[in-house]
Amino acid sequence: MYYYSFQIVFQEVPGEISLCFSISGCTIRCKGCHSPYLWKKNSGSLLTVSLFETLLKQYANLATCVLFMGGEWHNEELIVFLKLSKKRNYKTCLYTGEDQVSIELLAELTWIKTGKWNPSLGGLENKKTNQKFIEVKTNKILNYLFIKN
């Protein structure tokens, strides 16, 4: 599994400081995608278990969540990284353009953002969006956390 970028992000998972990996090879290719460079397979660097564990250790007690922007097309590999995250007491999140992911993958997530990008409906900050930010354990839709008063 290849990642195009690694960042520390603050807005994608409300209330969390997240280690964010943007995974390359997206097959969804939403019209109006803000990251079409992620469509190219094997773009970026190989995400190894060794590198991943090093980053988890480096940010322990600083970050609280591991976020994958895509990667569900690498189901088994992604599950390995999510399990490692949970083992180190990180919460986990996946942003996907799909409406559903495998039950095995879902079992390793704290939150999931689902739904293709649709420019006419906007993102999570828009009340009419088709996207959903879901707390997996309760199946609660938490989009309201992104909407400004």
Side-chain angles (χ1 to χ4, degrees), residues 46-65:
L46 181 64
L47 183 57
T48 64
V49 168
S50 176
L51 171 63
F52 190 74
E53 287 185 319
T54 297
L55 290 169
L56 293 180
K57 288 177 193 172
Q58 181 179 347
Y59 290 98
N61 301 316
L62 299 171
T64 55
C65 183

CSV table of all heavy atoms in Angstrom, one decimal, residues 46-65:
chain,number,residue,atom,x,y,z
A,46,LEU,N,6.0,3.6,-0.3
A,46,LEU,CA,5.4,2.4,0.3
A,46,LEU,C,5.3,2.6,1.8
A,46,LEU,O,6.2,3.0,2.5
A,46,LEU,CB,6.3,1.2,0.0
A,46,LEU,CG,5.9,-0.2,0.5
A,46,LEU,CD1,4.6,-0.6,-0.2
A,46,LEU,CD2,6.9,-1.3,0.3
A,47,LEU,N,4.1,2.3,2.3
A,47,LEU,CA,3.9,2.3,3.8
A,47,LEU,C,4.2,1.0,4.4
A,47,LEU,O,3.5,0.0,4.2
A,47,LEU,CB,2.4,2.7,4.1
A,47,LEU,CG,2.0,2.9,5.5
A,47,LEU,CD1,2.9,4.0,6.2
A,47,LEU,CD2,0.6,3.3,5.7
A,48,THR,N,5.3,0.9,5.0
A,48,THR,CA,5.8,-0.3,5.6
A,48,THR,C,5.3,-0.4,7.1
A,48,THR,O,5.1,0.7,7.7
A,48,THR,CB,7.3,-0.5,5.6
A,48,THR,OG1,7.9,0.6,6.4
A,48,THR,CG2,7.8,-0.4,4.2
A,49,VAL,N,5.2,-1.6,7.6
A,49,VAL,CA,4.9,-1.7,9.0
A,49,VAL,C,5.9,-1.0,9.9
A,49,VAL,O,5.6,-0.4,10.9
A,49,VAL,CB,4.7,-3.2,9.4
A,49,VAL,CG1,4.6,-3.4,10.9
A,49,VAL,CG2,3.5,-3.8,8.7
A,50,SER,N,7.2,-1.2,9.6
A,50,SER,CA,8.3,-0.5,10.3
A,50,SER,C,8.1,1.0,10.4
A,50,SER,O,8.2,1.6,11.5
A,50,SER,CB,9.6,-0.9,9.7
A,50,SER,OG,10.6,-0.3,10.4
A,51,LEU,N,7.9,1.6,9.2
A,51,LEU,CA,7.7,3.1,9.2
A,51,LEU,C,6.5,3.5,10.0
A,51,LEU,O,6.5,4.4,10.8
A,51,LEU,CB,7.6,3.6,7.8
A,51,LEU,CG,7.2,5.0,7.6
A,51,LEU,CD1,8.2,5.9,8.2
A,51,LEU,CD2,6.9,5.3,6.2
A,52,PHE,N,5.4,2.7,9.8
A,52,PHE,CA,4.1,3.0,10.5
A,52,PHE,C,4.3,3.0,12.0
A,52,PHE,O,3.9,3.9,12.7
A,52,PHE,CB,3.0,2.1,10.0
A,52,PHE,CG,1.7,2.4,10.5
A,52,PHE,CD1,1.0,3.5,9.9
A,52,PHE,CD2,1.0,1.7,11.4
A,52,PHE,CE1,-0.3,3.9,10.3
A,52,PHE,CE2,-0.2,2.0,11.9
A,52,PHE,CZ,-0.9,3.1,11.3
A,53,GLU,N,4.9,1.9,12.5
A,53,GLU,CA,5.2,1.8,13.9
A,53,GLU,C,6.1,2.9,14.5
A,53,GLU,O,5.9,3.4,15.6
A,53,GLU,CB,5.7,0.4,14.2
A,53,GLU,CG,4.7,-0.7,14.1
A,53,GLU,CD,5.1,-2.1,14.5
A,53,GLU,OE1,6.3,-2.4,14.2
A,53,GLU,OE2,4.3,-2.8,15.2
A,54,THR,N,7.1,3.3,13.7
A,54,THR,CA,7.9,4.4,14.1
A,54,THR,C,7.1,5.7,14.3
A,54,THR,O,7.3,6.4,15.3
A,54,THR,CB,9.1,4.6,13.0
A,54,THR,OG1,9.9,3.4,13.0
A,54,THR,CG2,9.9,5.8,13.4
A,55,LEU,N,6.2,5.9,13.3
A,55,LEU,CA,5.4,7.1,13.4
A,55,LEU,C,4.4,7.1,14.6
A,55,LEU,O,4.2,8.0,15.3
A,55,LEU,CB,4.6,7.4,12.1
A,55,LEU,CG,5.5,7.8,11.0
A,55,LEU,CD1,4.7,7.7,9.7
A,55,LEU,CD2,6.1,9.2,11.2
A,56,LEU,N,3.9,5.9,14.9
A,56,LEU,CA,3.0,5.7,16.0
A,56,LEU,C,3.7,6.0,17.3
A,56,LEU,O,3.2,6.7,18.2
A,56,LEU,CB,2.4,4.3,16.0
A,56,LEU,CG,1.4,4.0,14.9
A,56,LEU,CD1,0.9,2.5,15.1
A,56,LEU,CD2,0.2,4.9,14.8
A,57,LYS,N,4.9,5.5,17.4
A,57,LYS,CA,5.7,5.7,18.6
A,57,LYS,C,6.1,7.2,18.7
A,57,LYS,O,6.1,7.8,19.8
A,57,LYS,CB,7.0,4.9,18.6
A,57,LYS,CG,6.8,3.4,18.8
A,57,LYS,CD,8.1,2.6,18.7
A,57,LYS,CE,7.8,1.1,18.6
A,57,LYS,NZ,9.0,0.3,18.3
A,58,GLN,N,6.5,7.8,17.6
A,58,GLN,CA,7.0,9.2,17.6
A,58,GLN,C,5.9,10.1,18.1
A,58,GLN,O,6.2,11.1,18.8
A,58,GLN,CB,7.4,9.6,16.2
A,58,GLN,CG,7.9,11.0,16.1
A,58,GLN,CD,8.3,11.3,14.7
A,58,GLN,OE1,8.5,10.4,13.8
A,58,GLN,NE2,8.5,12.6,14.4
A,59,TYR,N,4.6,9.9,17.8
A,59,TYR,CA,3.5,10.8,18.1
A,59,TYR,C,2.7,10.3,19.3
A,59,TYR,O,1.7,10.9,19.6
A,59,TYR,CB,2.7,11.0,16.9
A,59,TYR,CG,3.4,11.8,15.8
A,59,TYR,CD1,4.0,11.2,14.7
A,59,TYR,CD2,3.5,13.2,16.0
A,59,TYR,CE1,4.7,12.0,13.8
A,59,TYR,CE2,4.2,14.0,15.0
A,59,TYR,CZ,4.8,13.4,14.0
A,59,TYR,OH,5.5,14.1,13.0
A,60,ALA,N,3.1,9.2,19.9
A,60,ALA,CA,2.4,8.8,21.1
A,60,ALA,C,2.3,9.9,22.1
A,60,ALA,O,3.2,10.7,22.3
A,60,ALA,CB,3.1,7.6,21.7
A,61,ASN,N,1.2,10.0,22.8
A,61,ASN,CA,0.9,11.1,23.8
A,61,ASN,C,0.8,12.5,23.1
A,61,ASN,O,0.7,13.4,23.9
A,61,ASN,CB,1.9,11.0,24.9
A,61,ASN,CG,1.9,9.7,25.6
A,61,ASN,OD1,0.8,9.1,25.9
A,61,ASN,ND2,3.1,9.2,25.9
A,62,LEU,N,0.8,12.6,21.8
A,62,LEU,CA,0.7,13.9,21.1
A,62,LEU,C,-0.6,13.8,20.2
A,62,LEU,O,-1.4,14.6,20.3
A,62,LEU,CB,1.9,14.2,20.3
A,62,LEU,CG,3.2,14.4,21.1
A,62,LEU,CD1,4.4,14.5,20.1
A,62,LEU,CD2,3.1,15.6,22.0
A,63,ALA,N,-0.6,12.8,19.4
A,63,ALA,CA,-1.8,12.6,18.5
A,63,ALA,C,-2.7,11.5,19.2
A,63,ALA,O,-2.3,10.7,20.0
A,63,ALA,CB,-1.3,12.1,17.1
A,64,THR,N,-4.0,11.5,18.8
A,64,THR,CA,-5.0,10.7,19.4
A,64,THR,C,-5.6,9.7,18.4
A,64,THR,O,-6.4,8.8,18.8
A,64,THR,CB,-6.0,11.5,20.1
A,64,THR,OG1,-6.6,12.4,19.1
A,64,THR,CG2,-5.5,12.3,21.2
A,65,CYS,N,-5.4,10.0,17.1
A,65,CYS,CA,-6.2,9.2,16.1
A,65,CYS,C,-5.3,9.0,14.9
A,65,CYS,O,-4.4,9.8,14.6
A,65,CYS,CB,-7.4,10.0,15.7
A,65,CYS,SG,-8.5,9.2,14.5
